[in-house]
Amino acid sequence: MSVTRSFKATDLFKFNHINLDLWTETYAISFYLSYLSRWPDMCAVQETPQGRMMGYVIGKAEGSGTERHGHVTALSVAPEYRRLGVSRRFMAWLEKVSDENYRGLFVDLYVRCVNFAAIQMYEGMGYSVYRRVREYYSNLGLGHSVRDEEDGFDMRKPLPRDPMRRSVRSNGRDIVVSANEVP
Amino acid sequence: MDRQIRPIYEALDTNSNKSAILACNKVLKKQPNNLLVKALKALALVRSQKVEEALVLCDEVLAAKPADEATLAAMMHVLRGLGRHMDMVTMYDDAYKQQPANEELGTQTFFANVRIGNWKAAQQIATKMHKQFQDEHYLYWNVMSALLQAKDPNTPETLRPVLLKLAQRLVSQSPTPSYYNADRFHLHVTVLKELGLYDEAYELIESEAGKIICSQFLMCEELRREIWKLKGLTREAGERAEQQILEAKDRNWLEFLAVLDATFADLTVEGADVESAKGSSAERITQTRELFGKVVEQDGVKDRSGHLALLELEKRCRHHGLATDSTTLTSLLESYFQHFGGKACCFEDLKPYIELEGEDLATWTSVLEKQTAQATSVPDLWRFINAQKLLRYNLTEAQLTPEAETQRAVQCLNAYLEGLHLGKDLPSYELQPADDLAVLAAQIFVNIWKRTGDQTPLYNAAALLEYATTKSKMSYQIRLHLIRIYRLLGLPSLALEHYRGINVKQVQNDTLSHFLLSRASTFSLAATGDITYTNECMETSRIYVSNSEETSEFIVRAFGGEKYSQIPDFILFEECLDNSLQRDLIKMEHVRMRIAHEAINSELVDMELIELKFIFDRLEALVHHDNRDFSILANYQPRCGASFIDQTESLEKTPGFGWLWVFLKIYIKAFQLASDLDDTVEDKLLIGDRPKPSNDPETKLPLKERLTKRKQEEINELSSDEAAFYDYASALSEWLTPYHDYARPPPSVVLAEAAKLTEQKTGHTLKGLELPPDAATNGNGKKDEEPPAVVEPPASISKHFDDVLQRFKEVLDGKAVPFELLHVVTLAQEAYLLFAIETTRFKTASVIKQNKFGGLSQHIKDIRNKSTAVINEMSGALLNRAESEATQESRKAVIEACKPIIHESGLDHDFVLNVAKKITDARKQIYDGIGKGMAKLAKTYA
């Protein structure tokens, strides 16, 4: 339960409790504004009845032909609002927008190979690893193997326009590409 | 040609500005009038901070009225770098006039106006372009510009409806209907909304196409809700929401609110017959209760909305006197707690519903007290944490005795240590589920301090939070608590350490830096050469530069990509940062630190005078925004008292606009006296755009009057020591003004000097400056008037230093927190520096002699001797105190204070000893540094 609304530029003043988190990056202003100035319909916020931001999602639409898809660039929920289905609602919403507004075939996202909680969550929502991307992230110094910490999984979920599930594969974890091979 | 130009671009692209300049010079040798190369050289110069040289070239290029795209593009970057957006408009305007058929030039001219928010001109250009090039998007640019002009505060009231009607007429002329594009549709509906044409807006939204757009685009859906509300369709919105909830299983809280609003619609209509409305509402309440009941049944613990909606329903029933069963509220609360007590958000969810009294409170309290600390699972633990927060919220004054509070704190701490077991297998970077218990315990200790004045609980809070932060390294909440407490305890190095641990970045510099930089000059060791805090101000302020460089580009991009829905928010965002209160507060702190660190010479004085006056004008002319994030700091204090953030505010006064006004006035006045620049000179020397003048009659008063205006609401934001400092500063400047005004060299002399310096530096004369022929020679402009007679200084100036010394002795021996001691000391130092700033002019023997100020010189000497003695005495006492800080005894005292929290293992004696060592070392460092800094300043300015 929450209020879902569009993400506004002025929300950058209010997202501290979400962004002061290990897995969440606070980017330059230009990052957020470039998304809002191109895909405002793929950026959303959920807030509490009291008007406090619970989390946000920032996405984009890219690719053409069979590669046309929605992409989740950032999704983050403040610790105090986790386990309330906030992410699930965001993802369902973004899948709907990717399908209806952009006629996408799938939705994809990147996640650190060591962010086990997130990987498990996305798997529960029907996402699967499509490939492993070498050195996609910077090191966090968490004490995992360097490789695991810097590599990311590209995870995907097919949308109704891909009924044959051509956009996913079962052995994705074994397929490794370098960071410059992905968009 | 291309062969010569390419290396310049390459050098610029790789940021090798030096080689770019060399490459430009090579070409310019052969073609001294090549505009493009001149423009590129200017760009390289701007980027290497050589502003004066860049200006000369820039003006040459502008004078030639360039029209080719390459030169214009280069100049756009140059002018943006110099902040000369107005010139950019003129440049493109001229170019477009030369080539009216050039669509790209038209577009750039439009964008140049967009960047400076000149909607009127933008609208005219869009009109012209639409006529000429016939592309539909120019029509919508026109509509958007008209709408923005109508909303601009500088647009006269009478013109607004005209502009909105124009916008409406334009949209209706569009050959393709607006609903082909969500953002055009959004714009169309917005125009109708602004005109109050709700029926038309409704029709648009409820059309076949409109419905589809609203279902696909959140921003349009939001607009739809708004229009329904404006049309007064509360009942219909409720019916629609009911369907959404039941059929589409929508759990958007807004749907529940719509149902609730509809339920009480009869009662909220103006002029309604209350009695009959109550009757009809009672019926509806029953229906609504059934609806929400159904939702609860369906969802169980899967979703909170049905449960929370029942609570909201009951709250509103009570509000309207329609509650039928007095036990409903507490049983709903109990049920909610049972269902969702295991979630972290439970306390926040219930807070609006638990302001209870009497029997209700007793029932509710007994429910919560049943919750024991023994937790075998994380949800169990959360139930206990939530129970503690909820209980605490309703504690009364009488229940807050130090004994009871200590017991509560220890109970929370014990539960915390116990609760750590539940997270012992988590990776070190995860948050501990028990964290909030440590935070609770810390807040309780702070509450005890606040109520008794005894500082020992603060040490307990600090030590236990230090322990918690070793267990939960990524918890910003724990670190923010430590920052608040360390500031009170006068430990800036430790506060800084935790602030850095939070890793504040980008826009957070605006919203979060107040935690570190509020009154930061209290902690600055700039006088000793340690500029850590000064640098922190500089680093933090960078975000404002990137905002003014980048954000307007996205407004332009939003126009380019026709994302009209975003434009008003982008503009607001840019303004919020540009006119951010925190930005100016940081600047003020920076100035206060800078004068302690650098030599007070004309360079410093002139520069700060210009900058502060700029801020002063802008503060008067434009709406400012307080973006500081205070809500991020958790508050678990009882509702009968102050919140945690207020309790831990230094001196209980948060610097705001009033505070800023006072300090701006103090420093502008002081720098004005010290400076040779007067307004006419400054105008000639300033580059870049000025703030737009406002329409407020008060700002039309001469600066002199505005500076001396004292307002009580401003003074209310000052601590008592700051208020005394303000009085002192006013008396001092008032006394010295006539002598400065008389002795200051005339403007022509000052300008001649500036011109000479510029010429020496750049080899060019100062642009736009015509000097009277005799100015350069007539060095000390003879004055016609007699010098003002020297009068005795008001006694309050000298007395201020007596008072300050008295205050110092009080806080040194009293119960005040160390912050207050440092506050008194650094303000004394500031008073001393202010005196130095305002008397430097009279240190020159020739000034005294020429103006017959011999008497003045003696008065100044008297005050200087007196104040120097006071500063030296304070410095000595502080250095003594520093010696006694980092000793075994002082550490022992901290450990002794922390007795209530020391445990056998983990948070044990050794851990607390380490914290005690950190604290006492840091305390010694700050006392020692401030003491030495004062001694140094006393030597410099004695």
Side-chain angles (χ1 to χ4, degrees), chain B residues 523-556:
Chain B
F523 291 137
S524 165
L525 298 181
T528 62
D530 175 348
I531 50 169
T532 313
Y533 266 80
T534 322
N535 281 342
E536 206 64 41
C537 291
M538 301 290 278
E539 291 295 312
T540 301
S541 300
R542 276 208 227 165
I543 189 63
Y544 304 111
V545 178
S546 31
N547 175 54
S548 45
E549 282 175 2
E550 289 166 17
T551 304
S552 63
E553 282 320 296
F554 289 95
I555 302 174
V556 165

Side-chain angles (χ1 to χ4, degrees), chain B residues 244-251 256 290-303 306-307:
Chain B
Q244 282 293 111
I245 293 168
L246 285 174
E247 284 160 29
K249 303 259 176 282
D250 195 338
R251 293 298 179 260
F256 289 83
E290 267 170 33
L291 169 70
F292 293 162
K294 227 180 276 172
V295 172
V296 166
E297 215 170 281
Q298 279 177 9
D299 295 356
V301 291
K302 263 188 16 219
D303 197 280
H307 303 261

Side-chain angles (χ1 to χ4, degrees), chain B residues 852-871:
Chain B
K852 302 176 190 135
F853 283 163
L856 183 66
S857 170
Q858 190 53 48
H859 289 312
I860 289 175
K861 205 181 270 169
D862 290 345
I863 300 174
R864 187 181 292 135
N865 289 343
K866 161 78 159 291
S867 55
T868 305
V870 167
I871 293 296

